[in-house]
Amino acid sequence: MAEPGHSHHLSARVRGRTERRIPRLWRLLLWAGTAFQVTQGTGPELHACKESEYHYEYTACDSTGSRWRVAVPHTPGLCTSLPDPIKGTECSFSCNAGEFLDMKDQSCKPCAEGRYSLGTGIRFDEWDELPHGFASLSANMELDDSAAESTGNCTSSKWVPRGDYIASNTDECTATLMYAVNLKQSGTVNFEYYYPDSSIIFEFFVQNDQCQPNADDSRWMKTTEKGWEFHSVELNRGNNVLYWRTTAFSVWTKVPKPVLVRNIAITEKGSSSCNVRPACTDKDYFYTHTACDANGETQLMYKWAKPKICSEDLEGAVKLPASGVKTHCPPCNPGFFKTNNSTCQPCPYGSYSNGSDCTRCPAGTEPAVGFEYKWWNTLPTNMETTVLSGINFEYKGMTGWEVAGDHIYTAAGASDNDFMILTLVVPGFRPPQSVMADTENKEVARITFVFETLCSVNCELYFMVGVNSRTNTPVETWKGSKGKQSYTYIIEENTTTSFTWAFQRTTFHEASRKYTNDVAKIYSINVTNVMNGVASYCRPCALEASDVGSSCTSCPAGYYIDRDSGTCHSCPTNTILKAHQPYGVQACVPCGPGTKNNKIHSLCYNDCTFSRNTPTRTFNYNFSALANTVTLAGGPSFTSKGLKYFHHFTLSLCGNQGRKMSVCTDNVTDLRIPEGESGFSKSITAYVCQAVIIPPEVTGYKAGVSSQPVSLADRLIGVTTDMTLDGITSPAELFHLESLGIPDVIFFYRSNDVTQSCSSGRSTTIRVRCSPQKTVPGSLLLPGTCSDGTCDGCNFHFLWESAAACPLCSVADYHAIVSSCVAGIQKTTYVWREPKLCSGGISLPEQRVTICKTIDFWLKVGISAGTCTAILLTVLTCYFWKKNQKLEYKYSKLVMNATLK
């Protein structure tokens, strides 16, 4: 830590380089000891010191505020007879700005023309090492004592000197740069800083003698938009401790860019030494094409890379190659035409071109306005290029990209770690009326470009997007060599938008040109629906009758254009319309299973109902009780530095007319807002989204940190009991198996975000499982083998168990129980079959009561009937027996008579 009483007095006009020399007291002692050895030794007699062989310095102030002026030789032991020490000026004495203290007569004198002075002060402009008086401390954000073991992981997370500036840490530790200063009167501290990444919290504050921070609202620093920015804070008289503190919150993405600080108390920067110019090589020049001349010809030319630091006169140096022969200029870009003086001008609205002549759009068509750049003879007027130094992050007056006919490529910079910047600015967009009516699908336009990178080391190509002149946000990054490929970005806001490509050959911190042959090339850039754009073709439009004939009009949302008649027709039921190709009924795409279209046919959604047919019955579901958003946090994770964080998910299953209800926020910016004030947070809206949460008991801030929100589900693909749909699979083995015999209902989603690791975009599946014991809303589970919800970073899976996920109850889910007859009354009761595997639906029928006869009555009836039957049978038996006796007598008599005969 800096010395708490470190004092800077009137003449402390010290540069950072001076602070790194031998301490003043040590030099005085060294000089005194050398002089003593010389006077006591037997060496040769020394000459009297000349004024050019020594300089004056002040001793430290004593308790009375006094000090002495002493003479100090530049090289101890070379001369003697230095002037005697004399009493110096009071410690409270100071010179005004523009004046300097002449140490010979101890008076203030004006600076010579072309020079300047800060007056009394101290400044640091060289950062080869940490200057004397500064302290760099680190700490783990985990405030719990149980994290003491991991605190040691942050010992190396400090501010690091980088020559012209000092750089912050980029991990999740808290790094603090401190400096203590004692002022005899009030003053100012000012510095320059470069703060490009909002995933780092950067604060600067001052504490006074009572360890009370100042009340300055500028404690929380704002991200820089373009290069370095200046910051100044007033200091009170007395002790002041200055704090520069950073904490990163990027725990699962690429490492953020560090905060850079330089020129604490402003001074001019410059090099400490001069180097010999090297011999020029083929890496010190680049090629370009001249603009078309009046004859429609262009010429290949070579130029030295600026600044030119090589020499052509040294042995082995290369010369600048001669210019090439003149060739015919390439055609103009689509939507432009070539004038008589070979320049390209845009075609008027209502016409189109392929780069030659403008042609009026045929009747029944309208121009598809946009910008399509595929010929690069000159840089388009809405594009600009520059170079951002990778060493001090200042913009240079150089060209970063050069045109080359059929492509544009990165030129040679001042050093290999420079950023070669190319920017395209679009004033706004003019999407079709049907797109404007769609409040859920935010696409108003899209940009597509074809590029290639050729690298021998660790080059990087960044694609960034800025909205309303705000800081560019990195969208995608490509590292190393990449073959010729296409990339598309969806534009969701109708506002002034800038697109920036930045190419860095290497991140090595050295000022040299070794890899100028490593280049990025862009072959074509196509932006659709541009306000005041040009057209390369005309598309069919809907026609409406007017006094002057037919004219183009916009179809209502959800209507396609019939190519033959030019009339608008509504898409069939359960289909959605392709926003950018609404021509013919084939533009209406069917919705997936279990979904239907919204009113304007812009998206498919599930209304929280589902039906499943089996050979024996139909199962109906109603998930309305699960329509509200729910949240789920994964288990705690820890970074290599011991920082605890959680993956926090927000889900919205169905309903709401397809509106995405889940919101995930990046509130890192809000942490800079004072308590009680509102701030602006970046947020995304989706069916399912994820954010990284660092709880408040870990950060020590007023609220937990929510950062890096990511959409996991932007479109509902379908709802089914099948495990695979549209190339998305929900493996059953990720969760414990279903045991009730009712298959899970699976919701399949896709995200619009396409990354290098997820070339098809992210996907999400939500298994909705019947669990009668779990009351609404039930419980959400992550896969046991993939605690972060995904095993590959692209496909996310969830299990939602709830009683509301059971089928609706029907007549097949209950049976009747009939009671015995009691007092002439019999009851029929209906009960659910066990186990009950349904929810909602029909209710059990009410108990049915009927009149009945008791068992005594039926017993008497039975006995009576039996008795009567027995008597009847006895009578009949006797009757037939007697009748049989008579017949037997007659038969016997006949037999006897026959025998006698």
Side-chain angles (χ1 to χ4, degrees):
M1 180 175 177
E3 300 169 353
H6 192 72
S7 176
H8 294 283
H9 308 288
L10 64 139
S11 63
R13 186 171 172 269
V14 185
R15 294 178 181 268
R17 62 180 70 91
T18 304
E19 289 291 319
R20 294 189 294 272
R21 293 175 182 167
I22 302 174
R24 180 179 305 162
L25 181 58
W26 174 251
R27 291 201 302 269
L28 292 175
L29 293 175
L30 180 62
W31 164 76
T34 305
F36 176 78
Q37 293 177 8
V38 171
T39 57
Q40 296 294 324
T42 58
E45 185 177 353
L46 301 179
H47 66 275
C49 289
K50 302 176 182 178
E51 287 190 7
S52 60
E53 294 178 322
Y54 65 87
H55 62 277
Y56 293 107
E57 290 188 4
Y58 281 119
T59 63
C61 294
D62 57 24
S63 59
T64 64
S66 301
R67 56 186 173 179
W68 292 80
R69 189 202 71 175
V70 296
V72 180
H74 297 315
T75 305
L78 295 183
C79 62
T80 185
S81 300
L82 290 168
D84 295 329
I86 63 173
K87 190 174 180 62
T89 60
E90 295 297 324
C91 291
S92 59
F93 175 81
S94 64
C95 292
N96 297 322
E99 297 179 339
F100 72 97
L101 181 63
D102 189 332
M103 293 293 286
K104 185 175 182 180
D105 56 12
Q106 300 191 75
S107 63
C108 295
K109 296 182 179 180
C111 295
E113 185 177 355
R115 297 177 178 269
Y116 70 96
S117 168
L118 297 176
T120 300
I122 187 166
R123 61 189 178 191
F124 302 93
D125 62 350
E126 292 184 1
W127 299 89
D128 297 321
E129 60 183 2
L130 197 64
H132 176 69
F134 278 87
S136 181
L137 307 177
S138 60
N140 194 297
M141 284 201 308
E142 181 70 67
L143 300 181
D144 193 351
D145 294 338
S146 62
E149 295 182 359
S150 64
T151 303
N153 294 332
C154 289
T155 54
S156 60
S157 300
K158 299 181 179 181
W159 288 76
V160 181
R162 297 293 189 189
D164 289 337
Y165 52 80
I166 186 168
S168 75
N169 65 321
T170 56
D171 54 24
E172 61 276 12
C173 299
T174 296
T176 304
L177 180 67
M178 299 173 56
Y179 187 74
V181 60
N182 183 285
L183 299 180
K184 298 301 179 181
Q185 55 187 6
S186 60
T188 304
V189 58
N190 43 59
F191 58 90
E192 293 179 79
Y193 71 98
Y194 180 67
Y195 179 21
D197 200 327
S198 62
S199 61
I200 293 182
I201 287 185
F202 176 34
E203 51 183 320
F204 171 74
F205 59 95
V206 181
Q207 285 187 337
N208 57 23
D209 288 327
Q210 290 76 37
C211 291
Q212 296 174 345
N214 60 355
D216 196 342
D217 292 337
S218 60
R219 168 178 180 142
W220 305 100
M221 308 298 290
K222 297 180 179 179
T223 53
T224 54
E225 296 185 358
K226 291 187 177 181
W228 294 83
E229 290 195 6
F230 178 82
H231 186 69
S232 178
V233 174
E234 297 294 328
L235 300 178
N236 297 326
R237 177 180 177 182
N239 289 324
N240 293 269
V241 183
L242 317 180
Y243 294 87
W244 293 263
R245 180 177 293 169
T246 55
T247 304
F249 292 100
S250 183
V251 297
W252 71 309
T253 56
K254 62 182 180 180
V255 177
K257 297 182 184 299
V259 175
L260 310 181
V261 174
R262 71 179 184 186
N263 294 346
I264 299 177
I266 300 176
T267 186
E268 291 179 349
K269 60 183 186 298
S271 178
S272 58
S273 62
C274 295
N275 299 322
V276 177
R277 287 176 177 265
C280 292
T281 67
D282 57 358
K283 301 181 185 300
D284 291 308
Y285 63 82
F286 60 93
Y287 66 91
T288 185
H289 286 76
T290 62
C292 289
D293 57 20
N295 297 323
E297 294 181 328
T298 183
Q299 187 177 23
L300 180 68
M301 293 186 64
Y302 295 89
K303 296 181 179 180
W304 292 112
K306 298 296 180 68
K308 183 183 177 185
I309 59 174
C310 65
S311 174
E312 305 174 59
D313 302 326
L314 297 178
E315 183 178 357
V318 301
K319 302 293 184 181
L320 195 66
S323 300
V325 298
K326 289 189 174 184
T327 58
H328 288 291
C329 289
C332 294
N333 280 307
F336 292 81
F337 70 97
K338 187 165 292 188
T339 63
N340 294 332
N341 57 1
S342 299
T343 60
C344 294
Q345 295 294 327
C347 290
Y349 182 78
S351 60
Y352 71 99
S353 83
N354 59 0
S356 55
D357 297 327
C358 299
T359 305
R360 295 291 301 177
C361 287
T365 65
E366 62 180 353
V369 293
F371 286 130
E372 183 179 358
Y373 300 127
K374 62 180 183 180
W375 298 110
W376 304 93
N377 184 251
T378 58
L379 197 66
T381 56
N382 59 345
M383 298 184 74
E384 60 181 18
T385 177
T386 185
V387 176
L388 175 66
S389 171
I391 297 178
N392 58 22
F393 293 91
E394 286 189 336
Y395 285 92
K396 304 176 180 179
M398 300 173 57
T399 299
W401 294 68
E402 288 287 345
V403 295
D406 64 345
H407 67 275
I408 184 171
Y409 76 103
T410 52
S415 61
D416 287 333
N417 65 351
D418 285 349
F419 291 91
M420 320 307 288
I421 308 295
L422 178 66
T423 301
L424 166 65
V425 178
V426 176
F429 301 94
R430 187 182 177 183
Q433 187 66 31
S434 58
V435 175
M436 296 297 292
D438 186 0
T439 59
E440 288 303 313
N441 287 338
K442 302 298 184 180
E443 178 178 343
V444 297
R446 57 178 60 192
I447 178 173
T448 302
F449 58 91
V450 178
F451 72 98
E452 177 184 25
T453 57
L454 304 172
C455 303
S456 59
V457 288
N458 58 335
C459 71
E460 292 185 342
L461 175 63
Y462 301 87
F463 175 60
M464 299 173 286
V465 177
V467 177
N468 282 334
S469 301
R470 292 201 296 265
T471 305
N472 286 332
T473 301
V475 173
E476 189 58 273
T477 303
W478 296 270
K479 297 183 179 180
S481 294
K482 298 295 179 183
K484 193 173 182 179
Q485 58 187 275
S486 174
Y487 177 81
T488 298
Y489 173 76
I490 304 299
I491 303 161
E492 297 182 346
E493 291 187 60
N494 190 358
T495 185
T496 301
T497 306
S498 64
F499 306 99
T500 300
W501 294 263
F503 180 73
Q504 187 181 35
R505 291 179 168 87
T506 178
T507 57
F508 296 146
H509 192 273
E510 56 184 48
S512 62
R513 295 192 189 109
K514 295 181 181 179
Y515 310 109
T516 55
N517 292 331
D518 293 4
V519 296
K521 297 181 180 180
I522 295 179
Y523 294 91
S524 65
I525 301 175
N526 188 358
V527 189
T528 64
N529 298 338
V530 176
M531 182 186 300
N532 301 324
V534 295
S536 60
Y537 68 96
C538 296
R539 60 192 176 195
C541 66
L543 299 177
E544 64 176 358
S546 63
D547 296 338
V548 294
S550 298
S551 61
C552 283
T553 185
S554 297
C555 284
Y559 284 69
Y560 66 90
I561 301 173
D562 184 270
R563 290 182 180 272
D564 297 329
S565 62
T567 56
C568 299
H569 297 271
S570 175
C571 278
T573 304
N574 292 335
T575 63
I576 58 174
L577 182 66
K578 292 181 180 179
H580 293 277
Q581 295 176 341
Y583 310 115
V585 69
Q586 64 273 13
C588 302
V589 182
C591 290
T595 65
K596 61 182 182 180
N597 63 276
N598 61 351
K599 293 181 180 179
I600 60 174
H601 291 269
S602 63
L603 58 84
C604 299
Y605 76 101
N606 177 268
D607 60 356
C608 294
T609 62
F610 179 72
S611 295
R612 178 173 64 91
N613 296 318
T614 66
T616 57
R617 61 177 289 191
T618 297
F619 292 90
N620 296 311
Y621 296 80
N622 189 327
F623 304 121
S624 298
L626 308 179
N628 295 329
T629 57
V630 293
T631 59
L632 170 65
S637 300
F638 297 88
T639 66
S640 59
K641 304 295 183 180
L643 174 67
K644 181 171 69 175
Y645 66 95
F646 300 86
H647 288 293
H648 189 268
F649 302 92
T650 305
L651 299 85
S652 56
L653 185 70
C654 57
N656 303 299
Q657 283 289 312
R659 293 192 303 273
K660 296 182 275 286
M661 305 299 291
S662 298
V663 178
C664 293
T665 303
D666 183 345
N667 71 347
V668 174
T669 305
D670 279 356
L671 297 178
R672 312 167 193 167
I673 306 301
E675 190 75 38
E677 297 185 15
S678 61
F680 173 78
S681 301
K682 291 192 304 182
S683 62
I684 62 169
T685 304
Y687 291 114
V688 182
C689 59
Q690 178 192 42
V692 173
I693 299 294
I694 304 176
E697 63 270 17
V698 173
T699 63
Y701 291 102
K702 62 183 181 182
V705 173
S706 173
S707 65
Q708 304 162 41
V710 177
S711 171
L712 305 181
D714 293 308
R715 291 174 287 124
L716 177 60
I717 303 301
V719 184
T720 179
T721 55
D722 297 333
M723 288 194 299
T724 300
L725 178 65
D726 193 33
I728 307 173
T729 300
S730 176
E733 61 272 11
L734 290 179
F735 303 98
H736 59 274
L737 297 179
E738 182 276 325
S739 59
L740 300 178
I742 298 179
D744 298 335
V745 178
I746 308 175
F747 286 70
F748 292 83
Y749 304 88
R750 281 197 187 277
S751 169
N752 295 330
D753 295 337
V754 177
T755 63
Q756 295 183 66
S757 56
C758 304
S759 57
S760 299
R762 299 183 180 91
S763 67
T764 296
T765 65
I766 303 178
R767 283 180 170 265
V768 183
R769 178 172 295 177
C770 173
S771 183
Q773 295 79 21
K774 296 187 177 181
T775 58
V776 177
S779 61
L780 277 167
L781 297 176
L782 296 172
T785 55
C786 310
S787 59
D788 292 335
T790 177
C791 299
D792 56 9
C794 298
N795 302 293
F796 291 77
H797 307 282
F798 302 89
L799 173 64
W800 194 339
E801 295 180 305
S802 175
C806 296
L808 295 176
C809 296
S810 66
V811 294
D813 294 303
Y814 65 83
H815 64 277
I817 298 178
V818 180
S819 69
S820 60
C821 185
V822 178
I825 296 177
Q826 188 176 55
K827 297 179 180 180
T828 303
T829 305
Y830 300 91
V831 296
W832 297 113
R833 298 184 185 277
E834 294 294 337
K836 183 184 177 183
L837 303 178
C838 64
S839 175
I842 65 173
S843 302
L844 286 174
E846 294 182 358
Q847 188 181 60
R848 187 160 56 93
V849 178
T850 58
I851 299 176
C852 63
K853 301 296 184 180
T854 63
I855 190 170
D856 295 338
F857 171 80
W858 291 113
L859 180 60
K860 293 177 181 178
V861 172
I863 293 174
S864 300
T867 302
C868 294
T869 302
I871 294 173
L872 179 61
L873 289 175
T874 302
V875 172
L876 290 175
T877 301
C878 293
Y879 169 75
F880 285 111
W881 181 78
K882 276 201 158 288
K883 191 173 183 178
N884 185 57
Q885 289 293 324
K886 290 181 180 180
L887 290 174
E888 185 178 3
Y889 171 77
K890 291 181 179 181
Y891 179 74
S892 299
K893 190 175 181 178
L894 289 173
V895 170
M896 291 176 63
N897 292 332
T899 304
L900 291 178
K901 288 181 178 182

